[in-house]
Amino acid sequence: MRELIREFIRKHELLDPERLEEVFRLEEESGQTFERIMLHKGYMSENDLLRTLAFALELPYLPSLSDQLVPDDFVGNVPVGFARNYALVGVGRENGAMRVATAFPLDTHPMDDLASMVQCEVEPVLAPRAEITSLINRAYKNKAGGLVDETMEGLREDDILKEAAAIDESEDLLATANKAPIIRLVNMILFNALKMRASDVHFQPFPDRLQVRYRIDGVLYDMEAPPKKVQDAILSRLKVQGGMDIAERRMPQDGRATVKIGDADVDIRISAVPTNYGERIVLRLLDKSARLYSLEEIGLESDNLRMVEHYIQYQHGIILVTGPTGSGKSTTLYAALQKVNSSQENVITLEDPIEYHIAGISQIQINEKKGLTFAKGLRHLLRQDPDIMMVGEIRDVETARIAIQAALTGHLVYSTLHTNDAASTVTRLVDIGIEPYLVASSVICVIAQRLVRRICPACREEHEPTPEELRDLKLIGLSISDFPTGRLYHGRGCPSCFNTGYTDRTGIYEIMPVDDALKDQIIERKSSSVVKRTAIERGCRTLRMDGAQKVLKGVTTPAEVLRVTQLDSF
């Protein structure tokens, strides 16, 4: 095996021979495995190391586990602590044996223990540790017994409302909020939301009930409806968690909290506003255990991917990502930052909030209460000798002016705006007071985006299109003759997708490079429709056109594209 490792490393020039022999020597002296020493010393990236071991051991290498499903008997028989500690997770079965992803294939003892737990043979495949951890988190979120806080253990879901309804209405609200039944009720609601991949949880008061709603893959679904008599107790509990004033019910409030599921942290942003039936509270859930996506994984078609990779390598200018709240703008910016992050570049970000932490990048949290706004932070950032700056959002003309000044003085700036499409972004900057010639000379590319739900891979099937689907196809510029089989794909509905037919989301994009023709139109203050028409004539594909490409590939449905895009009018 050592000779195979030497051969592969020498052939691909991955490591100096002297360092390789040093690792082999340390392996014999310390008893540690080869891969752990290599990673500890930092002599080779994990990707290169796993490819080397895959070659030497003749094992498959899976760089991504995003499409893998963990067998039920793995989750049922293997403790989550064991799986996380040894970075092992089942990824299916083959010929009666369970395939198990590992990042440390030379560490054989945990694999032997695992075989006795699942009571069958195990066949190792190699995968990055981050991918394994992410898959473990996804799999065990569906196993309540292993991950729920002990305050919820033994509590049957059908008993929750009975316990909550038994609370005496005359009790003090603060005391009530801290009693175990309400805590367990709120924890169960949050746990179920995370188990179902919800991004937001709504607590909406009605005359007779408090309706809980989850936003899953961009769509709201009605869930639990606790009785009206426990409404104040539940809302007070949420406000206590968020560090908010429970006595204040007539003014909007914001708060933040962190909860744990297993060893995964979830940040919660809490917003409360008064309504006619009591306070309404909305929680935004930010799962820190969720992995970062690369540019190749967020839904960019090959030509769009090449274009984005080209512009993010520029030395100066502004790249704007635009779309409504929850359209994946931050994910796109993080993917771009990962692509350009290197020891040769000084990369600094201003964010509100910091959603993911990226190694090697300085990330600054906006704090408007203490005076640290985007504009003030950006002004100070210019003194930090940055090469690339990411500004979470351009909210006002002051921030826009400083960002443009930074771009014109040799910095590359990434930021976001809330506009409907790429063309209206440049005209929005002019409308808020930026001189057209400054917009034309600083903005190099605008990326508009939306998120569409993906057809569930577990129940995806072809079917004959209905008249409604044929009409939808026409609205997105397609006809059934564009499909080789004359049939459309859809999700039949299964437990994996909660019978919705959709699982997860992907992006659709409208990428508009600001070339000389568009610069002239911006300086002449042309309308957004004129700018958009010119961009399309020069090869720009609109959001709806990009969505149509994903329908042709069977990634999503015509109804999804119509749900998130507007009619192309120009």
Side-chain angles (χ1 to χ4, degrees):
M1 187 190 71
R2 286 187 172 189
E3 287 308 313
L4 288 171
I5 289 174
R6 284 191 180 97
E7 176 190 340
F8 189 86
I9 290 177
R10 184 171 56 249
K11 179 180 177 181
H12 295 275
E13 300 178 348
L14 297 173
L15 187 67
D16 295 336
E18 297 81 10
R19 286 187 167 182
L20 180 60
E21 296 309 317
E22 176 197 347
V23 172
F24 284 141
R25 191 185 73 253
L26 286 172
E27 185 184 19
E28 291 179 351
E29 294 173 356
S30 67
Q32 286 188 299
T33 57
F34 172 81
E35 69 269 37
R36 291 186 184 274
I37 296 171
M38 289 288 280
L39 291 174
H40 177 71
K41 289 283 187 181
Y43 286 166
M44 194 182 290
S45 71
E46 185 184 38
N47 185 52
D48 288 340
L49 176 61
L50 290 173
R51 289 185 186 280
T52 302
L53 291 172
F55 171 78
L57 299 170
E58 297 183 350
L59 292 174
Y61 173 52
L62 304 177
S64 172
L65 300 179
S66 59
D67 297 329
Q68 300 294 329
L69 293 175
V70 181
D72 291 339
D73 52 345
F74 183 94
V75 178
N77 295 315
V78 180
V80 65
F82 179 90
R84 283 203 178 100
N85 189 43
Y86 295 108
L88 297 171
V89 65
V91 290
R93 289 187 171 277
E94 198 170 276
N95 300 325
M98 183 180 291
R99 300 178 78 217
V100 176
T102 176
F104 304 105
L106 302 180
D107 199 357
T108 55
H109 295 300
M111 198 70 80
D112 294 337
D113 294 339
L114 180 65
S116 64
M117 290 178 191
V118 296
Q119 298 181 341
C120 69
E121 286 187 36
V122 294
E123 293 184 354
V125 299
L126 305 189
R129 179 155 191 168
E131 290 289 323
I132 293 171
T133 301
S134 179
L135 184 57
I136 289 170
N137 288 339
R138 294 201 304 274
Y140 280 84
K141 275 182 184 176
N142 295 315
K143 185 188 176 187
L147 298 176
V148 188
D149 185 83
E150 63 256 17
T151 57
M152 297 161 62
E153 287 182 7
L155 180 67
R156 295 210 326 271
E157 222 168 325
D158 56 352
D159 286 337
I160 291 176
L161 298 183
K162 293 177 186 175
E163 284 197 88
I167 295 168
D168 189 347
E169 286 179 319
S170 64
E171 287 184 348
D172 177 70
L173 280 179
L174 182 57
T176 302
N178 283 288
K179 283 184 182 278
I182 286 297
I183 294 173
R184 290 201 297 268
L185 171 58
V186 171
N187 284 354
M188 182 62 82
I189 290 170
L190 294 179
F191 171 74
N192 283 342
L194 289 161
K195 183 174 73 173
M196 297 179 74
R197 310 185 324 275
S199 60
D200 302 83
V201 183
H202 293 230
F203 293 83
Q204 184 172 353
F206 285 89
D208 58 338
R209 69 192 188 282
L210 177 68
Q211 182 66 57
V212 179
R213 310 172 83 193
Y214 297 167
R215 188 177 294 278
I216 303 169
D217 293 336
V219 178
L220 273 174
Y221 296 93
D222 285 347
M223 296 296 176
E224 299 90 348
K228 187 71 172 179
K229 65 192 299 183
V230 298
Q231 172 179 307
D232 288 342
I234 292 171
L235 300 184
S236 293
R237 171 62 188 166
L238 292 167
K239 289 164 78 175
V240 167
Q241 279 187 296
M244 300 151 74
D245 181 0
I246 65 166
E248 178 57 76
R249 301 186 193 176
R250 295 171 296 176
M251 294 293 291
Q253 291 189 75
D254 292 321
R256 288 187 181 176
T258 300
V259 296
K260 273 186 174 289
I261 292 193
D263 61 359
D265 287 329
V266 179
D267 277 349
I268 303 177
R269 281 186 278 170
I270 305 173
S271 171
V273 296
T275 72
N276 51 340
Y277 295 120
E279 284 183 289
R280 175 188 175 127
I281 289 183
V282 176
L283 313 181
R284 165 61 59 91
L285 308 178
L286 300 171
D287 188 350
K288 289 188 173 181
S289 68
R291 68 185 183 90
L292 288 166
Y293 291 90
S294 67
L295 283 176
E296 291 80 9
E297 296 174 309
I298 60 176
L300 289 163
E301 301 292 330
S302 56
D303 52 344
N304 281 344
L305 177 61
R306 285 193 298 271
M307 206 182 308
V308 171
E309 287 178 336
H310 171 71
Y311 283 102
I312 64 174
Q313 302 292 342
Y314 267 47
Q315 294 301 305
H316 56 84
I318 299 179
I319 297 174
L320 291 171
V321 182
T322 180
T325 302
S327 59
K329 300 187 296 296
S330 296
T331 300
T332 300
L333 287 177
Y334 278 119
L337 287 174
Q338 284 190 102
K339 193 77 172 181
V340 299
N341 185 21
S342 72
S343 57
Q344 286 80 39
E345 304 280 0
N346 180 20
V347 185
I348 309 177
T349 72
L350 278 171
E351 304 176 56
D352 185 25
I354 297 172
E355 295 182 26
Y356 301 100
H357 297 276
I358 306 176
I361 290 179
S362 299
Q363 296 172 265
I364 300 169
Q365 170 72 56
I366 292 299
N367 190 335
E368 294 193 356
K369 288 183 179 177
K370 295 188 176 179
L372 180 53
T373 61
F374 278 114
K376 189 171 184 178
L378 187 51
R379 196 176 290 113
H380 285 281
L381 237 59
L382 293 172
R383 301 174 192 149
Q384 289 286 317
D385 184 31
D387 296 297
I388 299 169
M389 295 182 288
M390 193 268 271
V391 183
E393 185 182 340
I394 293 179
R395 294 179 177 171
D396 51 51
V397 66
E398 185 182 7
T399 308
R401 286 189 186 283
I402 301 168
I404 287 171
Q405 178 192 344
L408 295 176
T409 52
H411 305 89
L412 183 61
V413 181
Y414 301 156
S415 192
T416 70
L417 268 178
H418 293 288
T419 55
N420 289 327
D421 58 13
S424 60
T425 302
V426 289
T427 56
R428 170 70 61 84
L429 289 172
V430 174
D431 290 342
I432 66 172
I434 305 298
E435 290 78 2
Y437 73 91
L438 289 177
V439 176
S441 56
S442 60
V443 178
I444 57 175
C445 183
V446 182
I447 304 168
Q449 68 177 81
R450 298 290 188 277
L451 292 178
V452 293
R453 292 182 292 174
R454 301 175 69 106
I455 297 172
C456 174
C459 61
R460 180 174 176 267
E461 63 181 16
E462 279 190 311
H463 75 295
E464 291 292 336
T466 64
E468 291 80 9
E469 287 176 317
L470 291 173
R471 186 191 67 237
D472 291 347
L473 277 178
K474 187 176 180 180
L475 289 173
I476 63 173
L478 296 176
S479 70
I480 198 63
S481 61
D482 294 319
F483 295 80
T485 62
R487 292 158 68 89
L488 293 180
Y489 282 101
H490 76 156
R492 184 179 63 254
C494 66
S496 296
C497 61
F498 310 112
N499 294 312
T500 63
Y502 298 99
T503 300
D504 211 354
R505 289 185 287 179
T506 189
I508 57 173
Y509 299 88
E510 178 177 302
I511 300 176
M512 187 183 81
V514 182
D515 58 15
D516 290 341
L518 292 185
K519 286 179 181 179
D520 291 342
Q521 292 189 340
I522 294 168
I523 292 171
E524 294 168 6
R525 295 179 180 265
K526 297 289 187 182
S527 68
S528 60
S529 59
V530 173
V531 173
K532 186 170 187 174
R533 182 162 56 246
T534 303
I536 291 171
E537 288 169 357
R538 301 178 71 79
C540 174
R541 192 164 58 223
T542 67
L543 288 164
R544 186 162 284 191
M545 292 174 187
D546 196 46
Q549 291 294 313
K550 289 182 169 57
V551 172
L552 278 172
K553 291 182 177 181
V555 174
T556 189
T557 61
E560 266 299 287
V561 175
L562 288 172
R563 183 176 68 84
V564 301
T565 62
Q566 295 178 337
L567 180 67
D568 289 331
S569 55
F570 45 86

